[in-house]
Amino acid sequence: RLRAKMFRSWSLASRACRAGAGVLAVSAAAAVAECAGADAKPTGSAPAQVSAAKLASVFDHTLLKPEASPADVRALCEEAHRYSFASVCVNPSFVAEARAYLDALAAREGTERVVRVCTVIGFPLGATTSRVKAFEAEEAVNAGADEIDMVLPVGRLRGRADVAAVTRDLAAVAEVSQRRGVVLKVILETALLNDDERDLAVMLAAQTGCDFVKTSTGFAKGGATVKDVGAMHEQAAAVAGTGVGVAGGMRVKASGGVRTCEQAMRMLGAGASRLGASASVAIFEECVALGYVSGADEHVKAAAPAAGSASAPAANSDDAY
């Protein structure tokens, strides 16, 4: 396979992958098979491969750089459409264009849109007011967002400085997400929290009806770690066991620094159900090259026509950026 040839050389050059190839081959399929669904639970055994569709369904294909252009966002959408990733995650000003472009890509094939549109609220500091965050969320949904990743007020959580304010902040955005029927993920910025603060944040997110807890913005001093993902998964499960939170329990999204197949599999194995990554395509292709994925040739669609060609979907030029 062309994709396998392109990625095999550098994938197999990874010392970590070489050292643990046998173990990872099993744990990779185990992680995705168990963690891609709503009832995600870490496991220790699984078949040797996972389907391409199952692996693709865990990725929020992400572009949140301030310099991202409309052309960059369209390219992101094309990649997500080709691979049938869970979503594209873009800044709020690009939500309407991403939604329109994904709809156009699906319509060209005579299918329904599969890739959801995710955006960020109170990003990346979480320091705007709760009313502003709620307004941002409402605006995002009006523009076409299916999922919202909000940043909680980290400074008020640290040291339990103002737990009531954190709760009000989460509740304000949760009210919008629940009323409008969209998924809400809460970014904890775990690199800035101690274990007690992280666990408290998971509890507050569950109590206010959030759907996911997420590790990181990618803009702080650190990103996702296996330790934090595992602890968040365990805490979310424990809270769900008391009857608190959304039906089926909160899930975990790992984001920030996930760039390789091995890193992705370790996060999924620790209990993540979703991965936020700008390197989604490279991670997917590395997993294919390493032989962990079945059905990739049938799953991945042909590349879209170049922008501006007669058969390419038109961008919505009326949107402001």
Side-chain angles (χ1 to χ4, degrees), residues 74 77-78 81 100-111 304-305 313:
R74 290 194 290 274
C77 292
E78 288 167 3
H81 175 76
Y101 199 65
L102 287 167
D103 284 341
L105 288 167
R108 188 185 62 191
E109 297 176 350
T111 62

Side-chain angles (χ1 to χ4, degrees), residues 43-58:
T43 184
S45 61
Q49 286 190 319
V50 65
S51 73
K54 192 74 118 173
L55 177 60
S57 71
V58 305

Side-chain angles (χ1 to χ4, degrees), residues 31-41 54 57-58 251 272-274:
V32 178
E34 294 297 324
C35 295
D39 299 321
K41 295 179 182 178
K54 192 74 118 173
S57 71
V58 305
R251 290 179 277 170
S273 299
R274 199 76 72 86

Side-chain angles (χ1 to χ4, degrees), residues 161-220:
D162 194 344
V163 173
V166 177
T167 302
R168 289 193 299 271
D169 195 71
L170 298 177
V173 181
E175 188 280 328
V176 176
S177 71
Q178 292 162 12
R179 174 167 46 82
R180 300 299 300 274
V182 299
V183 170
L184 176 59
K185 313 185 198 91
V186 179
I187 305 172
L188 310 188
E189 206 67 283
T190 49
L192 304 180
L193 305 177
N194 61 33
D195 292 353
D196 173 70
E197 292 160 351
R198 178 200 62 217
D199 293 347
L200 174 61
V202 174
M203 172 67 78
L204 297 177
Q207 290 175 341
T208 49
C210 302
D211 299 289
F212 280 79
V213 279
K214 173 179 170 181
T215 55
S216 320
T217 62
F219 286 77

Side-chain angles (χ1 to χ4, degrees), residues 80-104:
H81 175 76
R82 286 189 65 209
Y83 286 82
S84 297
F85 290 143
S87 80
V88 292
C89 189
V90 296
N91 282 309
S93 65
F94 287 113
V95 166
E97 179 169 359
R99 174 68 179 258
Y101 199 65
L102 287 167
D103 284 341

Side-chain angles (χ1 to χ4, degrees), residues 7 15 21 32 36 62 73 87-88 90 125 128 130 141 146 156 185 200 208 210 217 223 246 257 283 299 318 321:
F7 284 83
R15 180 179 301 175
V32 178
T62 302
V73 171
S87 80
V88 292
V90 296
L125 302 179
T128 53
S130 300
V141 178
D146 304 295
R156 295 187 181 277
K185 313 185 198 91
L200 174 61
T208 49
C210 302
T217 62
V246 296
I283 294 169
H299 175 78
D318 294 331
Y321 303 109

